Amino acid sequence: MSTRAPARRVAVTGAGGFIGRRLAEMLEQSGAEVRRLTRRTTPLDDASRLAGALSGCTAVVHCAYDAFDEAANLRMAETLGHVCATSGTRLVHLSTAAVYEPLPNGVLTEAAPTNAPGTAYKAAKLAIERCLLDLVRTRRLDLVVLQPTIVYGPAGGAWTDSPVRELLTGEVWLPDAGRGLCNAVHVDDVCRAAMAACTAGLASGERLLISGPAPVTWAAFLGAYQTMLGTDSLRFEPPGRGFDPAPAAPPPAASRQRLKQMLLGRLGAAGRSRVHFMVQDLRSRLLGRKALRAEGAKRALYEARCRVSTAKAERLLGFYPDVGVEAGMAATLGYVIGTYGKEASSPFLEKRTKKLLLSGAAATRGMTSDT
């Protein structure tokens, strides 16, 4: 693997979010000068202002994503791509392994198809990838696309805050006795891959899956949070037994969506997490703990016996995942306790967690013949 000159000045979009904030910290610790871009300070769809903000940067890592406005994400990425192509700046785009959903049983590589129907999130991320890859062909954009799997760690909304809130306020049911494989990756490993992608000498347009050292079962992954919290909220559906899902709820009215965006869009990730938890906690106190059963794409994710291969990232970036789930969960404990306070006041039962994770890893080894 060859490398370009060290990245001395790197811009990070979405620097106020989960991955972007941690990436900026790690870049600064490495000696790089970091320009932290957020939608509040630098509109990412304003080409002239964006060009000024990126002046002198050797690389840009695009972490920003607006969960309230899917269409805006494509506009931002396209503008950023054109600006980077004009200046000759490398663009490292953080996409997602969700573009391959539903995940297949067996080994997943970047050669897997992405054309199966999926969630709005998958569609948005895939549209961004295709837009930027078009700019590689038409504008010679210097692009690297990273596709992280289940990213967790302090302030990780989707795979830390959300499951913790659910375990504190409801009963979380896992299909197939929780034996599906969770390809978890700690945020620090994702950031190390992004840092390597800023300087690696490789062809433009490469797409690289980023995951942790080894998958564990979903029972082990979510069970680690349960052990931290001292709750008994995980439930397991018997293997091979499904359930009759409730009728799909009608989509929320546009006015309700706009109100939600006005109220929550102004808050940072930590503020949104607190509001979501307050609502869930109040609902559980008034109506009782709700049985939370995964449906649709999430259920398919929980059931899949998929092992994500990072061989391409290892070969082209020299990236080897370093943070196993046991170490990653231990590093996440302080955040969980600090954020959820009294609700997460029980001590971290290290021996129990280690045993649980090791048993989960052993279970995945035993599944080789089934996948």
Side-chain angles (χ1 to χ4, degrees), residues 38-64:
T38 68
R39 282 164 288 172
R40 296 176 183 175
T41 61
T42 308
L44 299 183
D45 56 358
D46 186 325
S48 60
R49 292 182 63 180
L50 190 56
L54 300 183
S55 177
C57 290
T58 54
V60 181
V61 184
H62 184 39
C63 303

Side-chain angles (χ1 to χ4, degrees), residues 112-174:
T114 59
N115 55 359
T119 63
Y121 177 70
K122 170 184 174 173
K125 285 289 192 176
L126 196 54
I128 292 170
E129 282 194 17
R130 289 169 176 166
C131 170
L132 294 177
L133 289 170
D134 280 343
L135 292 179
V136 171
R137 292 184 286 270
T138 61
R139 296 288 315 277
R140 296 187 178 180
L141 171 66
D142 184 4
L143 173 72
V144 181
V145 177
L146 301 184
Q147 299 171 322
T149 51
I150 303 298
V151 188
Y152 72 101
W159 295 112
T160 297
D161 286 303
S162 182
V164 165
R165 291 194 304 261
E166 290 180 346
L167 288 166
L168 287 171
T169 60
E171 294 179 350
V172 179
W173 285 81
L174 286 175

Side-chain angles (χ1 to χ4, degrees), residues 297-311:
K298 191 170 184 179
R299 184 179 182 88
L301 179 66
Y302 282 166
E303 291 178 331
R305 306 286 181 89
C306 178
R307 298 170 183 272
V308 173
S309 171
T310 59

Side-chain angles (χ1 to χ4, degrees), residues 72-86:
N73 294 302
L74 183 57
R75 294 196 304 270
M76 291 188 294
E78 184 174 18
T79 303
L80 182 60
H82 278 287
V83 170
C84 287
T86 299

Side-chain angles (χ1 to χ4, degrees), residues 161-162 164-166 168-170 256 259-260 263-264 267 270-290 292 340 343:
D161 286 303
S162 182
V164 165
R165 291 194 304 261
E166 290 180 346
L168 287 171
T169 60
R256 181 181 172 188
L259 179 60
K260 183 177 180 180
L263 294 175
L264 296 182
L267 298 176
R272 288 196 297 270
S273 179
R274 285 193 293 270
V275 170
H276 282 306
F277 177 71
M278 289 169 60
V279 171
Q280 286 176 282
D281 186 49
L282 179 60
R283 183 179 295 150
S284 69
R285 292 175 188 275
L286 294 176
L287 304 177
R289 295 172 69 85
K290 183 179 180 182
L292 303 171
Y340 295 94
E343 290 78 14

